[in-house]
Amino acid sequence: MSVRSPNPVIASPRVLDLLDHLHGLSTFQEAQITSESYRQKDGFDDLMRDKFIALDQDKCWFVYQLLLSNRSRYVVEAGTSFGVSTIYLSLAVSQNLKSLGLDASQGKIIATENEATKAIRAKEWWNQAGKDVEELIDLRQGDLRETLKTHLPEKIDLLLLDIWCPLALPTLQLVQPNLHSGSVVIIDNIVGSADRYKDLIEYLRDGKNDFRNLTIPYNKGLGMSVYMGKR
Ligand SMILES: C[S@@+](CC[C@H](N)C(=O)[O-])C[C@H]1O[C@@H](n2cnc3c(N)ncnc32)[C@H](O)[C@@H]1O
């Protein structure tokens, strides 16, 4: 038996190949970026403008699996870039809708990207991934602190925080009124970027905010917080 973790994602060979290809491009680019560049303030946005910085593939598999496990239908993705993780979110929600006998109007992925050029590329990849993926995605281009202010689904099942660290807490606070008891918040690099996530981590661990927190030992840590509020 192979010791390699199996890929849980069900998709056509063409889409699976596309995902492998996009992760390959992202990993190659990231290997060229020094950890110092991540910390620089000046020129950071310029440096990142053509970078995927996609969520690691094993983390994407985990989030996909999680969405299947609770039959999630409404997801917000903070930080979309070229839309790699979004494809996994959309595949899972699409499969949930089918197994629940629901149509595409009864689920949604809200994707957010500030950079116009990235938003354009993301749409191209989603188009290549096919109608099932594309039709569920509501891409909000612009600063998510504005674009997430309105028209959120009443009940959001999962929030993926894959965004620059200082934006993570403001994003959570914007979305929190629409979380329900049992909603999940995923935070990328919660260990690797712990110093820059200080405000977010303090907020999540403050009992009055009603989150239960776990760090999953993926590379640089993946935070998984469950919202227990609104019982
Ligand atoms: C880590 S990347 C997202 C990667 C993506 N989730 C994936 O797996 O392919 C974070 C993205 O957030 C975007 N971003 C940064 N500030 C933003 C803002 N204020 N509003 C919306 N998007 C923003 C960046 O341009 C960048 O593309």
Side-chain angles (χ1 to χ4, degrees):
M1 194 178 74
S2 166
V3 289
R4 200 165 172 263
S5 171
N7 178 356
V9 178
I10 302 288
S12 67
R14 192 181 50 78
V15 172
L16 293 175
D17 284 349
L18 173 67
L19 288 168
D20 287 347
H21 173 65
L22 297 176
H23 281 291
L25 293 175
S26 180
T27 306
F28 177 78
Q29 277 184 336
E30 269 194 67
Q32 324 291 313
I33 309 171
T34 62
S35 54
E36 205 37 54
S37 325
Y38 279 111
R39 291 179 183 276
Q40 75 188 42
K41 282 205 177 66
D42 298 334
F44 179 80
D45 286 340
D46 288 338
L47 176 76
M48 292 298 165
R49 196 152 290 136
D50 66 338
K51 305 291 185 298
F52 278 82
I53 29 176
L55 192 66
D56 294 343
Q57 192 165 28
D58 53 359
K59 297 175 182 171
C60 287
W61 291 353
F62 172 74
V63 176
Y64 169 90
Q65 190 83 331
L66 192 60
L67 292 171
L68 294 185
S69 75
N70 58 10
R71 292 283 186 259
S72 292
R73 292 194 283 134
Y74 292 98
V75 177
V76 173
E77 176 178 65
T80 290
S81 187
F82 295 134
V84 180
S85 49
T86 332
I87 296 177
Y88 292 88
L89 305 177
S90 193
L91 283 169
V93 169
S94 166
Q95 289 160 15
N96 287 341
L97 292 174
K98 282 188 186 129
S99 69
L100 293 165
L102 301 173
D103 64 39
S105 69
Q106 290 168 292
K108 189 184 278 192
I109 316 300
I110 295 177
T112 55
E113 180 48 55
N114 208 15
E115 296 289 344
T117 51
K118 286 187 155 188
I120 291 167
R121 288 279 296 285
K123 284 189 204 164
E124 288 166 3
W125 296 125
W126 298 335
N127 180 264
Q128 285 196 35
K131 179 173 163 284
D132 285 356
V133 165
E134 207 178 12
E135 69 182 354
L136 292 176
I137 303 172
D138 166 5
L139 174 62
R140 303 197 180 173
Q141 202 233 298
D143 187 332
L144 83 181
R145 288 166 292 189
E146 290 303 319
T147 62
L148 290 180
K149 269 187 184 162
T150 55
H151 298 100
L152 289 181
E154 204 178 308
K155 288 190 168 185
I156 293 164
D157 301 306
L158 184 136
L159 167 65
L160 171 58
L161 291 173
D162 192 15
I163 189 75
W164 307 156
C165 298
L167 296 175
L169 180 57
T171 306
L172 173 62
Q173 289 172 328
L174 211 49
V175 169
Q176 192 173 344
N178 296 45
L179 297 181
H180 57 82
S181 180
S183 296
V184 175
V185 181
I186 296 289
I187 308 112
D188 191 29
N189 292 342
I190 194 153
V191 175
S193 300
D195 54 341
R196 282 172 289 155
Y197 275 137
K198 199 167 173 291
D199 58 348
L200 174 74
I201 293 171
E202 274 172 11
Y203 184 84
L204 288 168
R205 292 184 183 174
D206 183 337
K208 75 173 186 298
N209 295 320
D210 272 329
F211 288 93
R212 306 259 177 103
N213 307 293
L214 175 73
T215 298
I216 305 170
Y218 285 110
N219 183 34
K220 297 186 185 163
L222 189 70
M224 176 183 168
S225 298
V226 180
Y227 184 55
M228 305 301 292
K230 294 190 193 158
R231 270 178 215 104

